[in-house]
């Protein structure tokens, strides 16, 4: 298959942006110009081309607004928001870089600006969390042709390891709205603007985070939504969060797109087994582990990015601490019991054969197998192969097919 970049990591992230054109998160021509004007596959060049494109499209949006073309302004502000998000992505190897917060703040501001044009049902949420902290969210509600709607069913769409909730609009929200679903997105600890501004870090017991979202909906939005029909969905780490959240009896269906079963096992499977065993046994101290990982990071940018991003989101100071923290992100409980056995609602599980991250055999297939308490009618497994059929991680590049499969399944179970 044609590769825009030599690096599979850069190529995947480019397709991630390009694929959002399905929901008007990008223009193909703008993406191609950004790609082919990049002088090197480096974080600095990636930032430069996408940041320049974001500013250029922002100018188009402002011009459209001045001319009274409010739909043109809305669409350009949406693309501008997505390009600002993309621009800072590879800078996560240095979390102290001020551009990380600045770009996401601009992404959020221009995304919200887009929805001020026209009659669109998008509402910002401040979801009570802990210690007076509020989690930012959006509530999207669909419009019928006649302009009046009955209470719509609800999808709570999880953010994951490295996305923002604004990006989720292009990923799944747009497709849900056109099919009559309301969607709630939010950013929890360790995600998006909450990580960058509040310095809150990820937690493995995500059911307690989604529980706060549900509490807020039940207390303030019950008259707008059919909360008796609430589904939870997520991709990659967001799929793990969705599965954790699906034990809540207020959830009636769960969609887990290309997630992991045990993050520690995924990560250590990429490290020589003997090295991991010696470290686990205490025969290798953390400083040896850290120095060895640092050597790998110098040789492989993807590994460098993943370790630094993990340290940032987990709030730890070393590679050893980050990998040790991953032990907590598992669907196998500490007593050996299966967390998944607690789920009672229907579940749709997907895997990606061409993934960079979570091979289906040890993740999607394992998740599905551990849903033994559900009947064959209550669960479904889809393993995709090839870019056309959704074989890339999170079904990137196959958004239309993803929507068809997800909403086709959800229509039968919600």
């Amino acid at each position: 298959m044609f590769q825009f970049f030599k690096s599979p990591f850069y190529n995947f992230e480019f397709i991630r942006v390009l694929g959002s054109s399905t929901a008007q998160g990008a223009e193909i021509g703008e993406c191609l110009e950004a790609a082919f004007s990049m002088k090197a596959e480096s974080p600095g060049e990636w930032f430069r081309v996408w940041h320049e494109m974001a500013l250029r499209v922002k100018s188009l949006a402002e011009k459209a607004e001045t001319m009274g073309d409010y739909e043109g302004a809305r669409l350009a502000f949406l693309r501008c928001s997505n390009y600002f998000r993309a621009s800072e992505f590879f800078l996560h190897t240095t979390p102290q870089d001020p551009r990380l917060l600045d770009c996401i703040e601009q992404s959020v501001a221009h995304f919200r600006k887009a929805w001020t044009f026209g009659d669109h049902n998008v509402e910002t949420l401040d979801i009570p969390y802990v210690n007076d902290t509020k989690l930012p969210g959006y509530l999207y509600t669909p419009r019928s042709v006649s302009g009046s709607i009955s209470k719509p069913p609800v999808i709570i769409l999880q953010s994951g390891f490295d996305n923002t909730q604004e990006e989720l609009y292009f990923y799944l929200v747009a497709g849900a709205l056109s099919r009559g679903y309301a969607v709630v997105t939010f950013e929890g600890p360790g995600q998006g603007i909450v990580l960058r501004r509040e310095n809150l870090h990820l937690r493995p017991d995500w059911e307690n985070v989604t529980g706060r979202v549900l509490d807020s909906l039940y207390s303030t939005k019950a008259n707008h939504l059919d909360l008796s029909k609430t589904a939870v969905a997520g991709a990659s780490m967001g799929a793990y969060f969705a599965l954790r959240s699906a034990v809540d009896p207020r959830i009636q269906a769960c969609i887990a797109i290309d997630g992991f079963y045990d993050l520690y096992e995924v990560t250590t499977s990429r490290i020589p087994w003997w090295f991991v065993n010696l470290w686990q046994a205490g025969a290798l101290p953390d400083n040896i582990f850290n120095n060895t990982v640092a050597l790998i990071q110098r040789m492989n940018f993807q590994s460098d990015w993943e370790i630094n991003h993990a340290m940032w989101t987990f709030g730890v100071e070393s590679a050893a601490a980050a990998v040790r923290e991953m032990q907590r992100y598992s669907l196998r409980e500490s007593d050996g019991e299966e967390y998944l056995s607690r789920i009672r609602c229907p579940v749709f599980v997907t895997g990606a054969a061409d993934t960079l991250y979570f091979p289906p055999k040890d993740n999607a297939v394992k998740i599905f197998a551990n849903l033994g308490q559900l009947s064959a009618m209550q669960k479904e497994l889809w393993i995709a192969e090839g870019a056309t059929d959704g074989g890339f991680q999170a079904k990137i590049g196959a958004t239309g097919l993803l929507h068809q499969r997800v909403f086709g399944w959800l229509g039968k179970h919600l």
Side-chain angles (χ1 to χ4, degrees):
M1 191 180 77
F2 178 78
Q3 301 285 312
F4 292 96
F5 295 92
K6 293 179 180 179
S7 162
F9 193 25
Y10 275 82
N11 198 66
F12 176 80
E13 288 304 319
F14 178 73
I15 294 173
R16 179 173 173 173
V17 181
L18 184 66
S20 68
S21 61
T22 303
Q24 301 173 328
E27 282 278 20
I28 293 173
E30 292 168 351
C31 291
L32 293 177
E33 181 174 326
F36 292 119
S37 64
M38 203 174 299
K39 298 175 182 176
E41 294 183 16
S42 70
E45 273 296 289
W46 180 273
F47 171 80
R48 180 186 67 81
V49 298
W50 287 114
H51 195 265
E52 288 178 356
M53 187 59 70
L55 293 174
R56 181 171 159 186
V57 176
K58 176 186 176 182
S59 179
L60 290 176
E62 291 170 342
K63 183 176 181 179
E65 179 182 7
T66 300
M67 295 174 61
D69 178 8
Y70 299 123
E71 179 63 4
R74 183 183 74 88
L75 296 175
F77 276 122
L78 286 175
R79 301 199 311 278
C80 162
S81 168
N82 200 27
Y83 297 156
F84 273 120
R85 178 207 62 80
S87 69
E88 59 91 74
F89 186 84
F90 286 127
L91 302 178
H92 294 193
T93 53
T94 51
Q96 68 276 15
D97 191 322
R99 291 175 292 181
L100 273 63
L101 176 59
D102 177 68
C103 286
I104 295 304
E105 285 182 333
Q106 293 200 60
S107 178
V108 172
H110 293 108
F111 185 83
R112 294 185 176 189
K113 175 79 170 178
W115 298 112
T116 64
F117 300 105
D119 182 21
H120 300 282
N121 299 326
V122 183
E123 181 180 348
T124 58
L125 304 176
D126 289 311
I127 301 163
Y129 181 50
V130 294
N131 299 325
D132 297 323
T133 301
K134 300 291 181 67
L135 302 180
Y138 297 105
L139 169 60
Y140 304 84
T141 51
R143 295 180 297 169
S144 69
V145 175
S146 64
S148 62
I149 58 174
S150 58
K151 291 183 179 181
V154 184
I155 301 170
I156 298 177
L157 183 55
Q158 304 284 343
S159 297
F161 189 56
D162 58 32
N163 67 282
T164 66
Q165 64 168 330
E166 287 74 26
E167 185 188 10
L168 293 178
Y169 172 77
F170 312 114
Y171 182 67
L172 210 64
V173 174
L177 289 173
S178 65
R179 292 166 171 85
Y181 294 94
V183 184
V184 173
T185 65
F186 69 97
E187 287 173 349
Q191 298 175 326
I193 200 74
V194 177
L195 172 64
R196 291 159 177 81
R197 185 182 289 162
E198 307 296 337
N199 201 33
L200 295 178
H201 300 109
L202 282 176
R203 54 187 292 181
D205 58 339
W206 203 258
E207 62 275 18
N208 292 310
V209 181
T210 304
R212 299 287 182 137
V213 178
L214 285 162
D215 292 344
S216 179
L217 289 174
Y218 270 83
S219 66
T220 62
K221 300 296 176 186
N223 60 325
H224 297 285
L225 311 170
D226 186 355
L227 294 176
S228 69
K229 296 181 178 180
T230 300
V232 65
S236 297
M237 181 173 268
Y240 167 83
F241 292 150
L243 289 163
R244 297 286 310 192
S245 304
V247 302
D248 193 303
R250 293 171 290 186
I251 298 297
Q252 283 78 47
C254 175
I255 300 158
I257 304 166
D258 302 357
F260 60 81
Y261 176 82
D262 186 297
L263 186 58
Y264 179 78
E265 289 181 356
V266 169
T267 302
T268 55
S269 70
R270 296 156 62 179
I271 304 173
W273 63 268
W274 57 267
F275 184 83
V276 174
N277 288 348
L278 287 172
W279 177 62
Q280 288 178 327
L284 281 179
D286 280 2
N287 68 309
I288 299 296
F289 184 94
N290 291 331
N291 290 338
T292 303
V293 171
L295 179 62
I296 295 171
Q297 289 176 263
R298 284 195 292 272
M299 295 187 295
N300 184 284
F301 175 72
Q302 182 177 341
S303 297
D304 187 33
W305 187 95
E306 290 169 352
I307 288 294
N308 278 289
H309 184 81
M311 289 165 56
W312 183 31
T313 57
F314 292 150
V316 298
E317 299 297 326
S318 71
V323 175
R324 193 172 285 117
E325 176 69 10
M326 291 175 188
Q327 293 177 311
R328 303 174 66 207
Y329 291 78
S330 176
L331 294 169
R332 183 191 304 110
E333 299 194 82
S334 57
D335 60 3
E337 294 297 314
E338 291 295 336
Y339 183 88
L340 294 167
S341 67
R342 297 164 57 183
I343 297 175
R344 295 293 176 264
C345 67
V347 180
F348 184 33
V349 181
T350 82
D354 305 298
T355 179
L356 288 175
Y357 302 106
F358 310 132
K361 179 183 176 182
D362 298 319
N363 294 283
V365 172
K366 194 170 186 177
I367 290 168
F368 186 78
N370 281 297
L371 293 169
Q373 75 280 10
L374 302 182
S375 70
M377 297 294 291
Q378 290 179 295
K379 59 185 178 180
E380 183 174 335
L381 176 64
W382 169 34
I383 305 297
E385 296 185 22
T388 302
D389 294 327
F392 287 166
Q393 179 64 32
K395 307 290 176 276
I396 294 300
T399 305
L401 177 61
L402 173 66
H403 290 181
Q404 181 178 335
R405 293 294 299 264
V406 163
F407 297 118
W409 180 87
L410 195 57
K412 296 184 293 184
H413 293 282
L414 192 62

